[in-house]
Amino acid sequence: MKEIPVSVQLYTLREQCEKDFEGTLKRVAELGYDGVEFAGLYGRSAKEIRNLLDRLGLKASSSHVPLQELKNDLTKVIEEQKTLGSTYIICPFLMPDERNEPAYQGLISFLKDTGERVREEGLVLGYHNHDFELERLNNGKTVLETILDGAQSVIAEFDIYWLKKAGENPVEWIEKYMNRVPIVHLKDMTTDQLKSFAELGTGGVDLETVLSLGEKAGVNWWVVEQDICQRDPFKSIEMSLNYLKTKLPYLNK
């Protein structure tokens, strides 16, 4: 079995990062995570953070960078990611006024051009989905299909919670875009009517099949994220990692 490392999306720990960024990364390392996925740098320089990562034995798996930042300051973003050692730059979210057919076509053109520029710098541009991208357009395809098929230089960072929430099968999406899924967001969903975010292994998402596809699909990082935690977020990410250790034996080394 390919030993795919596991990182945590720091949005899960956003309040902790605001209060004590260094202490939060230290806790993440102590729990046994291999890396972190950034969602902002909390007022610190990329060099300062890289030094902290190196000291703690963590890697930057990837970074979520807002679309406007990609549009307005791509050169700075690229330099920061190189300093962090983060190969994957991920477009994480679209605002409501960016969710219409003309805007999607503009987005595809931007992602295509930006993805090619980023690759010239040795980095990779990706797109992270929520549930609204599973709506169908006039072409009969979903927004997500349209984006990924239109911007071939962009990889998919599938969020399996949001795929499931939209009534889709995450496994089918991973199989459809084999070798364009180097990062997967692992999330679980409660089985009640609320369909809330849940610690891995406590909900109804078919995590085992997703994990079994990792090597075949070319996954390089599993990313744990829980947008909202019903308990202390550190406990939530510990529970999720402990679940992964039962399914991925190499994590117990």
Side-chain angles (χ1 to χ4, degrees), residues 68-172:
Q68 284 308 122
E69 195 172 336
L70 293 173
K71 288 182 175 180
N72 297 336
D73 216 345
L74 184 60
T75 299
K76 180 183 177 184
V77 170
I78 289 171
E79 290 309 310
E80 284 182 339
Q81 299 313 305
K82 285 182 176 181
T83 300
L84 290 171
S86 168
T87 300
Y88 301 101
I89 302 172
I90 310 296
C91 177
F93 188 69
L94 299 179
M95 301 302 289
D97 62 352
E98 297 170 321
R99 303 174 194 173
N100 56 73
E101 295 217 20
Y104 290 138
Q105 292 306 317
L107 174 68
I108 289 167
S109 178
F110 172 78
L111 292 177
K112 185 177 179 181
D113 293 344
T114 304
E116 290 168 358
R117 180 178 168 191
V118 163
R119 282 189 186 277
E120 290 172 359
E121 298 290 340
L123 304 176
V124 180
L125 183 66
Y127 187 86
H128 173 272
N129 69 280
H130 289 77
D131 55 351
F132 62 84
E133 289 98 344
L134 282 306
E135 296 172 355
R136 295 201 175 269
L137 297 173
N138 290 330
N139 62 10
K141 294 164 59 174
T142 64
V143 174
L144 189 54
E145 286 175 295
T146 303
I147 290 172
L148 294 176
D149 294 350
Q152 291 287 333
S153 59
V154 172
I155 59 97
E157 183 184 63
F158 287 138
D159 185 305
I160 64 174
Y161 169 91
W162 289 114
L163 288 171
K164 180 75 172 175
K165 185 80 179 288
E168 298 284 328
N169 183 343
V171 170
E172 292 178 357

Side-chain angles (χ1 to χ4, degrees), residues 184-219:
V184 174
H185 262 215
L186 297 176
K187 292 184 184 177
D188 215 338
M189 179 193 294
T190 60
T191 54
D192 57 19
Q193 290 184 333
L194 295 176
K195 297 182 178 180
S196 303
F197 303 102
E199 290 78 16
L200 299 183
T202 68
V205 177
D206 183 7
L207 295 165
E208 285 197 47
T209 306
V210 169
L211 293 171
S212 72
L213 287 172
E215 183 171 1
K216 183 180 178 183
V219 175

Side-chain angles (χ1 to χ4, degrees), residues 9 11-14 186-187 197-200 224-231 236-237 240:
Q9 165 53 258
Y11 181 77
T12 311
L13 303 167
R14 54 197 177 278
L186 297 176
K187 292 184 184 177
F197 303 102
E199 290 78 16
L200 299 183
V224 171
E225 181 183 30
Q226 194 169 331
D227 303 42
I228 299 172
C229 302
Q230 301 302 323
R231 49 174 57 85
S236 290
I237 67 169
S240 289

